[in-house]
Amino acid sequence: MGEPGTKEILSLDELEAAGNLRTGRKHILSILVENKPGVLTRIAGLFARRGFNIDTLAVGPTDDEAFSRITLTLDGAVHPIDQVTKQLHKLVNVLKIRDLEPQETLARELALFKVSADGVSRAEVMQVCEIFRGKIVDVTKRSVVVEVTGTCDKIDAFEQLVRPFGLIEMARTGEIAISRGRGET
Amino acid sequence: MRAVDALMECLKAEGVDVVFGLPGGANLPTYDAFYDAGIRHILVRHEAGGGHAAEGYAKATGKVGVALGTSGPGATNLVTPICDAMMDSVPVVFLTGQVRTELLGTDGFQEADTIGITMPIVKHSFLIQHPLEIPRSIHEAFHIARTGRPGPVVVDIPQDLSRADIPYEPVTDVHLPGYQPTTEGNQKQIRLAAKALANSRRPVLYAGGGVIAGNAAPELTELATVDRFPVTSTVMGLGAFPAPHEQWLGMLGMHGTRAANYAMDEADLIVAIGARFDDRVTGKLSEFAPRAKFIHIDVDPAEISKNVPAHIPIVGDAKNIVPRLTAEYRALAPDPARLEEWWSRIRTWQERHPLRYEDSKDHEIKPQYMIQALFEATGGDAIVASDVGQHQMWAAQYFHFSKPRRWINSGGLGTMGFGLPAAMGAKIGCPDQTVVCIAGDGSVQMNMQELATCAHERVAIKVFIMNNGYLGMVRQWQELFWDRRYSHVEMGQWPDYVKLAEAYGATGMRLEDKATLLEGIREALQTDGPVLVDVRVTREENTYPMIPAGQAARNMVG
Ligand SMILES: Cc1ncc(C[n+]2csc(CCOP(=O)(O)OP(=O)(O)O)c2C)c(N)n1
Ligand SMILES: [Mg+2]
C-alpha cells in the first residue's frame, strides 16, 4: 500500500482500517526527563509520528529539580509499544521510561466538576460527593464545584452520576502514577 | 572572550578543519570570529550545498562534518541535508544563527522556529538560551553526532548571545545522563549467534551502512572468510566488503542482483549487520526471506525487530561484536563442507543471471557502459559520489567498490542534488584522492550552483552527467507501471552543460560517442580543476533487474 509505483486505487475504507488499528490495552508510561526546553515537544512529536494517540498527559517536578516526570496514558496502536519506548530512549533528554504494570502501580487523577445544584438537587449532589469522598470547594446559589481524586475509572463513574444534575464544566489532570513498594518507579 | 570566539576554540578542539557555510544577519558575529580563527571556511552558494558538502566530507573521512547557516531561510535551506543526514546516519553538526532573544516568538525578521522545524529529523538539537551554554553544547553536539548511531545535531544560537562576553574555559568532558549508547555486545548473545551460524546450511551476511559508519569493514571480511559465508549489502553498505571477492553476491534489494535476492529468499540464516530492513531491501515484508532466522547486530536498539523480528538481537558496535562472533565461530570449528551445496546453488544463479544489458551496436553510449568505462578509467581507485535516479543504481551495480568510504550516495532520503556538493565535500576532505560525481541531468541542476564554489576554491571534482534527457527513474516507473503515460518527466535540451561549466569557471566537455568515451573520460580525469562532462546516453534505458515495489524478491523482473 502507498507505493508510488502501483496504479492500484485505494478505497477510503482500506485507508481508514489501516489507520484505526488499536490493540486496546491501556498503557501508563512514566518517563523521567531532564528539565530542558523542548523535551515535551520532542516526546509528543514522537508519539504522533508513530501513530499513538495520547489519552492523558501530566508533567510535573520530581524530588530532584533537574528532572521532571511525564506520565502519559495511551492506547496501543498499529505499532507495538516497545517500538515507541525504544524511540523514546533515543531522545537525549530522556533518562528512564517505565511501561507500568497496572497491578503494581498506584495511579491517581484529580478532577474538578462544576455541577448545577439548586434547591432539591443540591442535597443529592452532596450525597454523591460524599460517597466518592469528593470535596466541595466552591458553592453558589445555583452550582457547586467538586474536587475528586482517584483512579481514572472512579472519576469516570463520578462523572456519570453527576451528569444528570447538569454538568456545567469538568477539568481533569490526567493520571499520575508511581510504582508500589520500596523500589523506584 | 566573545562567545563566538569561544565557539571557534571549541571547533578547533573538536579537530574541525573545514566548515561549509553562508553568512547572514543572525550569524554575523560567528563570521566575524571566522575572520581570524584559522579554520578553513568554504563559502557555498546555497546552504543546501553546504549541508550536503558537510555530509560528503563526513562520509569520505569518517569525521564530523560542519555546516553553517543564518536564521530563517538559511536554516530552512539546511532542512534537506539535515533530514538526509538523519536517514543515512551521517555525523554532521549544523550551526544555525537565530534572531536576537528579545525577538524570539515575535515573527521577527528572518525568524524561523529552526528547532521546531527540525525536531523530527535530528539526532538531537540545542537551542542556546544563555551564552555560557555555548561551549558545552558545542562539545555535546559533536559527541552526540559521532558516537552511537551517528546523526545530525543542530545548534541554534541567537545572535545576541553569540556576541556576549564570556569567561572561556576549555570543556574536557561531556555529561549526558540520558545518552549512553551501548557499544559492547552481550557475550551470551554472541555465543548463541555463533552456534546458529555453525548450524546453518544456507547463511547470508547482509551488511548495511552501519558497517561503514562503524569502521567495521575489515572485521566483516574476517567474519565472512572464517568460513565461506556469502556476503551481500545494501546500497549504503557498498564497499563494506570487497566487490572482487568470490564470496560477494552483489547488492541486494530493488535493483540488486538476482543472486543476492534469491539467496536471501532461500537462506536459513541471515546475519544483518548495521542494516535496517528498509522496504527497498525487503520488498513485500510478509514474503521476505521466508525460511530464514535472523541475527541482527545494530548499535541502535530501536532498529532491532522494527521491521523484521530478530531471533538473536545483539546491540552494540559492529567493530566490537563482529570479531567476537568470528572468534566464537572459529572455536566451534564447524565443517565447511556443509556450505558446498549452498554455494553450488548460488553459483548457478550467478551464472544464469549475471548483471547484464544489451550493448549498442553503433555509437550510442549505454548508461551501464558509461559506468564500466568510468570504472576502467579510474582503475576503480576513486571516491564516487552519486545523485539520485537510474544513474545511481547503475553506478551501484557496475562500479565495483573494494573499500569503504568510496561510495557516497543518498540512500535513505534519496535526495536529488546530493551528488555534486557531496563530491565537493569529499574532495575537500580527501584532496589526494580522485573524486568523481555521477550525476543525473535532473539531479545535477538542483545544486549546480556549487560548481562556482568548486571553481573558486579549486576543488577538482570531475562531474559526469549521465544525460538521458529525462527524470529517468520516474520515466521508468511510468513506463512499467503507469501505461507509458510520460507525465512531466522530459527535461528538454537545456541547459547547454558545456557552456554552463565554462560560465561557472569549470571545464566543460561533451561525450556522445561510445568509441571515444573511454578516452574522453581519461581526458576529463586528467584535466586540472573542476570538470563537468555532459555524457549523452541512451534516452530510454531501464534499470534492471528489479523487484517491482511491494513484491517478493522471487518476482524480480528484467
Ligand atoms: C528532491 C527530489 N525530488 C524528486 C525526487 C523523485 N525522483 C527520484 S529519481 C528522479 C529522477 C532523477 O532524474 P535524473 O537526475 O536525470 O536521473 P536519471 O534517473 O535520469 O538517471 C526523481 C524526480 C527525488 N528523489 N528527489
Ligand atoms: Mg536523467
Side-chain angles (χ1 to χ4, degrees):
Chain A
M1 197 189 81
E3 270 296 344
T6 52
K7 277 206 322 181
E8 173 204 353
I9 295 174
L10 280 175
S11 78
L12 289 178
D13 289 347
E14 278 176 288
L15 278 175
E16 231 155 76
N20 285 340
L21 286 177
R22 286 186 155 219
T23 62
R25 149 124 147 74
K26 174 187 163 187
H27 292 272
I28 303 180
L29 296 187
S30 174
I31 309 171
L32 190 66
V33 301
E34 281 185 280
N35 220 340
K36 294 253 168 88
V39 177
L40 189 60
T41 321
R42 281 177 217 270
I43 290 175
L46 236 173
F47 280 93
R49 185 164 164 238
R50 307 270 156 181
F52 281 88
N53 279 320
I54 297 175
D55 289 329
T56 70
L57 174 90
V59 193
T62 63
D63 49 300
D64 184 335
E65 67 174 19
F67 306 119
S68 302
R69 186 177 304 283
I70 298 178
T71 310
L72 50 84
T73 62
L74 46 93
D75 222 320
V78 192
H79 305 277
I81 188 96
D82 73 309
Q83 185 40 229
V84 180
T85 49
K86 282 171 167 181
Q87 294 293 343
L88 279 173
H89 265 298
K90 286 169 66 168
L91 296 177
V92 170
N93 302 132
V94 170
L95 282 106
K96 208 159 125 186
I97 302 154
R98 284 281 305 271
D99 182 4
L100 295 170
E101 288 296 329
Q103 314 86 291
E104 288 151 33
T105 305
L106 292 167
R108 293 289 181 273
E109 185 172 3
L110 169 74
L112 297 171
F113 292 88
K114 189 176 286 179
V115 187
S116 305
D118 39 8
V120 247
S121 64
R122 182 179 295 258
E124 284 182 63
V125 171
M126 287 172 69
Q127 218 170 12
V128 176
C129 188
E130 209 164 292
I131 296 166
F132 279 79
R133 297 213 181 105
K135 233 187 341 187
I136 293 179
V137 287
D138 186 51
V139 188
T140 67
K141 264 197 196 137
R142 303 183 47 214
S143 70
V144 290
V145 174
V146 186
E147 174 191 318
V148 186
T149 56
T151 62
C152 154
D153 290 345
K154 175 178 161 187
I155 290 168
D156 287 345
F158 184 79
E159 183 196 335
Q160 291 307 315
L161 286 174
V162 294
R163 205 172 258 288
F165 298 111
L167 180 56
I168 301 165
E169 250 179 356
M170 169 179 86
R172 297 173 63 160
T173 58
E175 279 180 310
I176 54 166
I178 205 160
S179 65
R180 290 178 187 273
R182 178 85 166 75
E184 273 179 38
T185 302
Chain B
M1 155 187 315
R2 289 181 307 178
V4 283
D5 298 314
L7 169 68
M8 296 297 139
E9 293 308 312
C10 296
L11 295 180
K12 283 189 233 168
E14 289 291 345
V16 173
D17 49 22
V18 62
V19 170
F20 302 90
L22 199 145
N27 62 10
L28 263 173
T30 311
Y31 272 86
D32 188 67
F34 265 122
Y35 195 76
D36 43 24
I39 297 176
R40 185 172 183 199
H41 177 275
I42 302 288
L43 174 64
V44 293
R45 269 50 174 176
H46 187 299
E47 290 85 354
H52 292 314
E55 286 188 272
Y57 171 91
K59 287 191 183 204
T61 62
K63 296 196 276 184
V64 179
V66 184
L68 193 63
T70 188
S71 65
T76 56
N77 275 347
L78 285 170
V79 168
T80 302
I82 293 170
C83 192
D84 194 272
M86 186 67 174
M87 292 290 270
D88 285 349
S89 308
V90 193
V92 178
V93 171
F94 293 89
L95 302 171
T96 50
Q98 184 52 276
V99 297
R100 301 192 305 276
T101 41
E102 63 183 359
L103 287 175
L104 276 175
T106 66
D107 303 321
F109 178 63
Q110 293 195 327
E111 179 184 4
D113 178 5
T114 303
I115 296 294
I117 290 167
T118 58
M119 204 166 269
I121 52 169
V122 294
K123 186 171 174 189
H124 192 54
S125 53
F126 295 87
L127 172 61
I128 301 296
Q129 292 184 310
H130 192 284
L132 285 176
E133 292 168 12
I134 291 176
R136 180 160 295 279
S137 300
I138 295 292
H139 290 297
E140 288 176 351
F142 275 83
H143 178 74
I144 292 168
R146 87 159 73 80
T147 54
R149 178 180 180 171
V153 181
V154 170
V155 187
D156 198 30
I157 312 178
Q159 203 259 17
D160 52 337
L161 304 188
S162 69
R163 275 184 290 131
D165 187 26
I166 60 167
Y168 171 67
E169 258 181 60
V171 177
T172 49
D173 64 318
V174 292
H175 177 66
L176 294 162
Y179 178 75
Q180 260 123 22
T182 312
T183 52
E184 269 192 41
N186 179 296
Q187 185 62 25
K188 265 198 210 139
Q189 293 292 91
I190 294 174
R191 202 165 293 149
L192 211 58
K195 275 196 195 140
L197 261 175
N199 283 321
S200 82
R201 304 187 144 261
R202 297 187 308 278
V204 177
L205 306 187
Y206 149 47
V211 175
I212 292 170
N215 297 314
E219 288 79 3
L220 172 68
T221 304
E222 217 178 301
L223 171 65
T225 52
V226 69
D227 207 327
R228 270 181 82 217
F229 299 130
V231 186
T232 181
S233 90
T234 64
V235 73
M236 294 306 299
L238 293 174
F241 188 77
H245 200 286
E246 57 115 14
Q247 284 164 240
W248 173 242
L249 305 182
M251 175 173 83
L252 85 170
M254 183 172 275
H255 293 295
T257 65
R258 274 198 159 76
N261 285 320
Y262 290 178
M264 294 292 278
D265 188 53
E266 292 194 8
D268 64 357
L269 182 72
I270 289 168
V271 188
I273 312 174
R276 57 186 180 87
F277 297 87
D278 180 78
D279 57 271
R280 285 307 189 248
V281 161
T282 62
K284 189 173 186 179
L285 206 53
S286 57
E287 290 179 38
F288 172 67
R291 298 154 189 85
K293 296 265 188 290
F294 294 94
I295 297 170
H296 195 170
I297 302 171
D298 207 291
V299 73
D300 180 358
E303 281 307 336
I304 290 176
S305 299
K306 183 180 81 178
N307 296 337
V308 172
H311 300 87
I312 309 178
I314 313 178
V315 179
D317 258 345
K319 202 169 181 67
N320 169 280
I321 293 164
V322 175
R324 288 161 63 199
L325 178 56
T326 308
E328 289 287 340
Y329 182 85
R330 193 177 280 126
L332 296 172
D335 178 13
R338 76 186 193 295
L339 299 180
E340 258 157 40
E341 218 181 293
W342 183 221
W343 271 111
S344 78
R345 185 133 182 85
I346 290 172
R347 293 292 180 231
T348 316
W349 292 322
Q350 287 177 320
E351 276 151 33
R352 213 176 284 166
H353 312 286
L355 280 175
R356 67 172 145 226
Y357 65 95
E358 205 174 311
D359 202 0
S360 66
K361 299 191 175 49
D362 48 18
H363 292 276
E364 183 173 317
I365 300 171
K366 284 281 180 155
Q368 301 91 332
Y369 176 74
M370 171 188 154
I371 305 292
Q372 288 176 321
L374 192 62
F375 182 71
E376 193 180 329
T378 56
D381 188 17
I383 292 176
V384 179
S386 166
D387 268 320
V388 168
Q390 293 183 308
H391 59 281
Q392 174 191 24
M393 291 301 121
W394 282 314
Q397 292 175 334
Y398 289 94
F399 203 102
H400 307 295
F401 295 94
S402 294
K403 290 186 198 166
R405 303 198 180 279
R406 290 292 184 85
W407 166 240
I408 293 172
N409 86 129
S410 167
L413 196 63
T415 308
M416 288 172 70
F418 172 85
L420 194 152
M424 174 173 85
K427 180 73 181 170
I428 288 167
C430 306
D432 301 330
Q433 295 202 46
T434 302
V435 178
V436 304
C437 170
I438 296 172
D441 51 319
S443 300
V444 78
Q445 295 186 60
M446 291 203 185
N447 271 314
M448 190 77 205
Q449 75 286 344
E450 298 314 323
L451 208 51
T453 314
C454 289
H456 187 80
E457 300 274 348
R458 299 304 293 164
V459 183
I461 57 169
K462 316 297 167 190
V463 183
F464 296 88
I465 302 171
M466 186 181 277
N467 190 347
N468 53 13
Y470 278 115
L471 297 170
M473 189 56 98
V474 181
R475 185 207 56 73
Q476 174 171 343
W477 285 53
Q478 288 178 344
E479 178 189 330
L480 299 179
F481 310 115
W482 296 83
D483 302 333
R484 282 184 166 270
R485 284 153 59 95
Y486 288 178
S487 180
H488 306 281
V489 286
E490 191 155 7
M491 300 296 288
Q493 55 174 318
W494 313 117
D496 179 329
Y497 288 107
V498 176
K499 283 189 189 157
L500 191 62
E502 279 159 12
Y504 270 123
T507 305
M509 289 171 62
R510 181 165 293 120
L511 301 172
E512 26 195 357
D513 185 344
K514 183 174 137 192
T516 52
L517 176 68
L518 190 58
E519 191 185 314
I521 291 176
R522 291 210 167 101
E523 187 189 326
L525 292 171
Q526 278 151 20
T527 304
D528 284 343
V531 181
L532 187 71
V533 189
D534 177 12
V535 187
R536 297 297 174 89
V537 300
T538 311
R539 294 208 61 205
E540 297 191 25
E541 181 80 10
N542 286 340
T543 310
Y544 285 128
M546 174 174 198
I547 306 176
Q551 295 212 26
R554 200 162 338 108
N555 305 333
M556 285 204 96
V557 297

